[in-house]
Structures are given as C-alpha cells and as structure tokens.
Amino acid sequence: MIEPWKDLLQLRAWWPAAPTINRREATRVALGAALGLFIAGGLSMLSGLGGLGTPGLVAPLGASAVLVFGVPSSPLAQPWSVVGGNTISSLAAVAVMHLVPQMLPAAALAAGLAIALMIALRCLHPPGGASALLMTVNGNADPRAALVPVLINALLLTAMAYG
C-alpha cells in the first residue's frame, strides 16, 4: 500500500532550522550588503571602470556581499578570500578560454581550475567559482576584464564591509 503522507513527512527533514539571527541584525546585514553593492557598483561606473564591454558591477559580488556582511568572521569572507578568490578565478577563466574554444568544457575547466587555485593560494571564496563561470559563459577572454571590474568591485565591496 502506498502512503504518500509518509513521503511528505520525510521532506520535513530537509527544512532548515529557524535562523538564530535577530531582526535588527538581519536588517543590518541586508542594508549593509545593498549599500556596499550600490557604492561599489556606483564608484566603478562613475570612474569609467565598467568599460571593456563589462558592467560596472559583476553578479558574483552579490554572493560575496552575503558572506562579507552576513558572516564576516568566516574564512570564506576574509578580504584576501574575496579579492583573491574573485580575481584569480576570473583570470583562470581567461586562461582556459584561450586553450578551450567550446563554452561548456571551458566553463567546467575554468571552475575546476579556479577552485584548485583558490585552495592553493588560500583564498577559497565560493563566489569565485561564479566569477570563473561568468567570464566563460560571457565569452570574455580579455584579462583586463578580470581586473576591471572584477578586482575593482571586490576591492570596493571589501572596503565597504571592513573599512
């Protein structure tokens, strides 16, 4: 006999525990991230650093903002992790794209190489994997794009969070 309600009860085990963060802290994290991203993107755009066919703000920085404002004491959220992880991963993607012309294998190899480099250089930062994918999926093989806006965004966001 099939008992579908038992399957539903088993799904409850996947539901996360209630957060231990209070409303004031949650508001601080959300507003800090929003303001940090706004300022980092705005300064990049105002200074003309969004050139080279790239936007003034790159998407992986949204995930970086979650880490630096939400769990700032995490090893994954430290300044070197944010700056090094995003920038090194973008540079890894550029290198892979020069060797592998097809997007899907290049994206997979870029992410794998980015992770290996971040571990070796002690700057593991999960959004770095997204930076590698972003560069590859966008087909941006220009190493300057890893510096402008990726490096600039990471530096500015880190300054907003820890400055």
Side-chain angles (χ1 to χ4, degrees):
M1 174 178 208
I2 298 175
E3 298 175 351
W5 60 271
K6 283 188 178 180
D7 291 337
L8 289 174
L9 290 176
Q10 289 176 359
L11 289 177
R12 289 185 72 195
W14 289 71
W15 191 252
T20 58
I21 188 169
N22 65 45
R23 286 182 195 221
R24 183 174 182 204
E25 181 66 7
T27 301
R28 185 199 63 77
V29 169
L31 290 177
L35 185 61
L37 288 167
F38 180 78
I39 292 171
L43 289 174
S44 291
M45 290 168 67
L46 286 173
S47 65
L49 296 176
L52 305 170
T54 59
L57 188 65
V58 292
L61 267 284
S64 294
V66 171
L67 290 169
V68 298
F69 289 97
V71 285
S73 62
S74 167
L76 303 174
Q78 296 310 299
W80 169 239
S81 295
V82 176
V83 175
N86 280 304
T87 306
I88 289 163
S89 296
S90 296
L91 289 169
V94 168
V96 168
M97 283 189 287
H98 286 288
L99 300 172
V100 180
Q102 296 84 17
M103 191 272 295
L104 183 58
L109 288 171
L113 177 60
I115 292 166
L117 288 171
M118 287 187 290
I119 290 169
L121 297 172
R122 299 176 59 190
C123 58
L124 188 62
H125 185 64
S131 290
L133 287 178
L134 177 69
M135 294 289 286
T136 310
V137 171
N138 285 344
N140 196 339
D142 187 339
R144 294 175 295 174
L147 305 176
V148 179
V150 177
L151 171 62
I152 300 302
N153 281 177
L155 285 169
L156 289 169
L157 183 72
T158 302
M160 296 298 110
Y162 296 105

